[in-house]
């Protein structure tokens, strides 16, 4: 317990005109409450009432015991300031991943940038996601930005800046993931034939080996065993590390595909996918060629004779069809052939089976009859193994 010195409106000390020393506040007693945090640092606050100081100390003690204590100085940190620090630590990620994080951070800054980290409430987050949806942002975008905010707060909790996150399942918006477009085999081959000859391997690698476009453009002839029929991605365009550790998983290919790829790689050519002169091509060149090829298919459908018009229209691909959509075709072929989720995961080189199921679960055939037959077989075996009198009772149901 101690008194407090008197200060003016600007916070400067007021002097006693008689003694020339600092003047005391005339408000009697001021209660000083203090504690040491788990790191041994002392924190102090002053209160006009003892009850207020006791309440504050009880709250602080509870937070220390439960492990939710936050340094009072850190609690003043704004969302903007923490995002700056967080992005600095995120800079080690791939450039595309970092760019996406910066875009998400801009959405977060607009909504909460000037507010303190600890002041953002779950109700604020729910209102924010509803506002983004009302602005016309896609469900998948709103979900991604909310997930980024949750990630930022998880790291803030890990750093001891806030005791809890305002993000949870209750604040999370719908994922809004659309089913991928799966091209038909006729569409894939039509696209292949409409591409420039030196870029046709890009279609083969996407549709029949499941390579991503950056992996296809970075595939070297030394990464393909044309005899054994094995592709082992090692880098992605231009010479960067692969997306994940599982991206380097070897992909088996049939001899026919290996032969088709080999015809495009003359002796001494370093790249499987090149510009016709042996030089590496970038993803933009492939995507640009695919746009032209799709346009050629549309034109061919419009000019086709009446008896061929239907077939020509069936070969037309939708606007926005990308090289990555060829991976969806690859997955659909594997699933149609009876491959289970673990096999499809391995061939697509997904990091987890969850990613595979989230994207392609709807492609697996319905198993109603299979499950019905399995249960029926179990009951039939039971009926066959018991005495005739009991078997009759199992077969007969007395409906009253």
């Amino acid at each position: 317990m101690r008194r407090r010195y008197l200060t003016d409106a600007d916070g400067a000390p007021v002097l006693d005109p008689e003694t020339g020393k600092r003047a005391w506040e005339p408000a009697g007693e001021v209660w000083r409450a203090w504690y040491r945090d788990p790191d041994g640092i002392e924190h102090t606050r002053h209160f006009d009432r003892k009850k207020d100081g006791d309440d504050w100390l009880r709250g602080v003690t509870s937070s220390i015991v439960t492990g939710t204590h936050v340094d009072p100085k850190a609690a003043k940190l704004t969302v903007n300031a923490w995002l700056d620090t967080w992005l600095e630590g995120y800079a080690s990620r791939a450039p595309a991943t970092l760019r996406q994080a910066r875009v998400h951070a801009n959405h977060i800054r607009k909504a909460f940038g000037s507010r303190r980290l600890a002041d953002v409430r779950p109700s604020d987050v729910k209102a924010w996601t509803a506002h983004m949806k009302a602005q016309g942002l896609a469900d998948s975008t709103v979900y991604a930005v909310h997930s980024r905010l949750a990630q930022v707060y998880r790291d803030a909790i890990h750093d001891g800046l806030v005791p809890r996150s305002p993000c949870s399942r209750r604040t999370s918006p719908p994922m809004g993931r659309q089913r991928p477009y799966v091209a038909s085999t006729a569409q894939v081959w039509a696209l292949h034939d409409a591409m420039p000859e030196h870029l046709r391997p890009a279609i083969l690698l996407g549709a029949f080996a499941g390579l991503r476009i950056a992996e296809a453009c970075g595939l070297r002839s030394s990464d393909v065993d044309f005899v054994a029929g094995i592709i082992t991605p090692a880098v992605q365009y231009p010479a960067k590390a692969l997306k994940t550790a599982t991206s380097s998983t070897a992909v088996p290919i049939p001899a026919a595909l290996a032969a088709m790829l080999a015809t495009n790689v003359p002796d001494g050519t370093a790249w499987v996918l090149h510009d016709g002169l042996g030089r590496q091509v970038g993803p933009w060149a492939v995507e640009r060629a695919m746009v032209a090829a799709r346009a050629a298919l549309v034109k061919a459908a419009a000019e086709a004779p009446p008896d061929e018009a239907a077939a020509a229209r069936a070969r037309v691909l939708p606007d926005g069809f990308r090289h990555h959509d060829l991976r969806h075709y690859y997955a659909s072929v594997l699933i149609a052939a009876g491959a289970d989720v673990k096999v499809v995961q391995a061939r697509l080189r997904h990091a987890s089976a969850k990613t595979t199921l989230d994207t392609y679960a709807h492609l697996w055939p319905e198993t109603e009859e299979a499950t019905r037959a399995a249960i029926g077989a179990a009951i039939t075996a039971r009926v066959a193994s018991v005495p005739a009198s009991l078997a009759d009772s199992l077969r007969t149901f007395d409906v009253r």
Side-chain angles (χ1 to χ4, degrees), residues 291-362:
V291 171
R294 292 201 318 269
L297 294 177
V298 172
K299 182 179 179 182
E303 298 175 351
D307 58 333
E308 299 177 7
R313 286 194 298 269
R315 291 192 290 269
V316 172
L317 289 160
D319 291 339
F321 187 89
R322 305 169 303 150
H323 184 274
H324 194 81
D325 295 317
L326 295 170
R327 273 171 62 85
H328 304 324
Y329 170 80
Y330 178 64
S332 73
V333 171
L334 297 178
I335 293 169
D340 62 29
V341 63
K342 292 300 292 183
V343 171
V344 177
Q345 175 200 350
R347 294 297 170 263
L348 290 172
R349 294 161 295 123
H350 283 155
S352 72
K354 181 181 183 302
T355 303
T356 308
L357 284 172
D358 285 346
T359 309
Y360 303 113
H362 65 286

Side-chain angles (χ1 to χ4, degrees), residues 119-131:
D119 288 346
V120 180
R121 299 286 180 262
S123 57
D124 300 327
V125 176
K126 292 186 73 172
W128 171 55
T129 56
H131 178 67

Side-chain angles (χ1 to χ4, degrees), residues 20 60 78 85 90 130 142 173 194 213 223 247 258 263 272 283 332 378:
V60 168
T78 65
T85 302
Y90 207 68
V142 177
I213 188 168
D223 298 330
S247 296
T263 60
V272 174
S332 73

Side-chain angles (χ1 to χ4, degrees), residues 175-255:
M175 186 178 297
R177 180 172 294 175
Q178 297 180 347
R179 290 184 175 184
Y181 178 83
V182 178
S184 67
T185 299
Q187 287 175 315
V188 170
W189 283 118
L191 179 65
H192 171 273
D193 295 341
M195 291 284 285
E197 187 172 354
H198 64 279
L199 292 180
R200 288 176 181 174
I203 307 302
L204 300 176
L205 292 170
F208 303 113
L211 265 63
R212 303 173 179 90
I213 188 168
E215 295 168 347
C217 292
L219 190 67
R220 301 163 300 193
S221 55
S222 59
D223 298 330
V224 183
D225 187 333
F226 295 100
V227 177
I230 297 176
I231 294 176
T232 308
V235 296
Q236 60 179 340
Y237 180 88
K240 298 178 182 177
L242 294 172
K243 183 178 181 181
T244 64
T246 55
S247 296
S248 60
T249 303
V251 180
I253 59 173

Side-chain angles (χ1 to χ4, degrees), residues 82-136:
W82 172 238
L83 279 173
D84 290 339
T85 302
W86 185 85
L87 285 170
E88 286 180 10
Y90 207 68
S92 60
R93 304 299 181 93
T97 304
L98 179 59
R99 282 196 301 272
Q100 187 181 54
R102 292 187 184 280
V103 171
H104 293 166
N106 288 337
H107 284 286
I108 297 171
R109 291 182 194 276
K110 289 178 183 177
F112 308 116
S114 61
R115 297 177 62 174
R116 297 193 310 172
L117 271 174
D119 288 346
V120 180
R121 299 286 180 262
S123 57
D124 300 327
V125 176
K126 292 186 73 172
W128 171 55
T129 56
H131 178 67
M132 287 192 291
K133 176 64 178 174
Q135 286 184 316

Side-chain angles (χ1 to χ4, degrees), residues 43-45 70-82 112-119 153 160-163:
H43 302 277
T44 304
R45 281 188 64 179
V70 175
D71 187 333
K73 294 181 180 179
K76 298 178 182 179
L77 190 70
T78 65
V79 174
N80 264 336
W82 172 238
F112 308 116
S114 61
R115 297 177 62 174
R116 297 193 310 172
L117 271 174
D119 288 346
Y153 265 93
L161 302 178
V162 289

